[in-house]
């Protein structure tokens, strides 16, 4: 029932804490069912991924699209065990050094932007800046319920470019 209740978003909107992301060309609102990723052209590596996940449990899924691999923990929100396709992806990441797939979040934040463009886009948004590293700045936007729920934008300061974006949202229930 949780998978059937999922509705893919039709636009990004402006609220960074809505956890809507355009990932590899498709819109998702996290948490999003693995089956939605498969529908959008992702393939599951059956050798490395769990096939069944216990009720209210979690396990790993390994997926690929456009010659890029992504692995993440998926959550089963149902009380009964289910196949991996009926579990939910709770975080996605695009990073030029790892899973180099197009990713865009609200306010047009995307890979390749300059740090000035990030700061301008985040005008009016509450965020925390981690700038203790001389090489990387981390812009963190927390979710309303937990500091674990967040959008993180990683800027390589030497190249003045966004090299990574991570979106993570793991509600206890759906």
């Amino acid at each position: 029932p949780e998978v059937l209740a999922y509705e893919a978003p039709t636009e990004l909107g402006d609220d960074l804490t809505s956890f809507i992301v355009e990932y590899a060309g498709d819109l998702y609102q996290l948490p999003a069912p693995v089956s939605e990723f498969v529908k959008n052209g992702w393939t599951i590596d059956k050798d490395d991924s769990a096939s069944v996940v216990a009720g209210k449990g979690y396990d790993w899924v390994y997926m690929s699209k456009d010659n890029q691999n992504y692995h993440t923990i998926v959550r089963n929100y149902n009380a009964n065990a289910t196949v991996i396709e009926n579990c939910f992806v709770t975080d996605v990441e695009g990073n030029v050094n790892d899973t180099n797939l197009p990713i865009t979040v609200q306010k047009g934040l995307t890979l390749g932007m300059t740090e000035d463009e990030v700061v301008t886009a985040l005008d009016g948004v509450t965020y925390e800046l981690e700038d203790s590293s001389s090489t990387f700045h981390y812009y963190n936007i927390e979710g309303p319920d937990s500091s674990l729920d967040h959008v993180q934008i990683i800027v390589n300061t030497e190249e003045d470019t966004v090299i990574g974006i991570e979106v993570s949202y793991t509600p206890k229930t759906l």
Side-chain angles (χ1 to χ4, degrees):
E2 295 84 3
V3 174
L4 294 175
Y6 177 81
E7 292 182 27
T10 56
E11 61 182 28
L12 281 171
D14 288 327
D15 181 5
L16 282 156
T17 62
S18 67
F19 303 104
I20 296 173
V21 60
E22 184 177 331
Y23 192 50
D26 296 294
L27 290 173
Y28 302 94
Q29 182 159 21
L30 299 180
V34 172
S35 59
E36 193 74 10
F37 285 81
V38 171
K39 182 178 95 177
N40 291 330
W42 289 81
T43 57
I44 298 172
D45 181 344
K46 300 285 186 182
D47 292 334
D48 292 324
S49 300
S51 57
V52 175
V53 177
K56 300 293 182 184
Y58 55 90
D59 214 320
W60 287 96
V61 67
Y62 289 77
M63 303 185 296
S64 61
K65 184 175 182 178
D66 298 334
N67 293 319
Q68 295 293 312
N69 298 313
Y70 185 63
H71 66 278
T72 188
I73 292 177
V74 293
R75 186 168 299 277
N76 177 4
Y77 284 99
N78 196 282
N80 299 312
T82 189
V83 295
I84 195 88
E85 289 84 354
N86 289 338
C87 294
F88 285 76
V89 172
T90 58
D91 69 275
V92 295
E93 176 184 19
N95 191 306
V96 298
N97 297 316
D98 189 15
T99 304
N100 194 7
L101 287 166
I103 184 169
T104 303
V105 294
Q106 291 71 22
K107 304 195 175 281
L109 292 161
T110 192
L111 297 176
M113 295 178 82
T114 67
E115 188 161 17
D116 283 345
E117 290 172 324
V118 170
V119 171
T120 299
L122 290 177
D123 185 43
V125 174
T126 302
Y127 65 88
E128 179 183 307
L129 172 61
E130 291 179 38
D131 59 0
S132 58
S133 165
S134 62
T135 309
F136 300 102
H137 286 171
Y138 301 87
Y139 291 81
N140 298 305
I141 299 99
E142 284 187 14
D145 301 326
S146 165
S147 63
L148 298 176
D149 302 331
H150 66 275
V151 175
Q152 182 178 67
I153 295 110
I154 305 166
V155 175
N156 178 319
T157 58
E158 293 174 351
E159 298 175 8
D160 189 29
T161 188
V162 173
I163 63 157
I165 297 176
E166 179 184 316
V167 180
S168 181
Y169 182 52
T170 309
K172 293 190 187 310
T173 61
L174 287 182

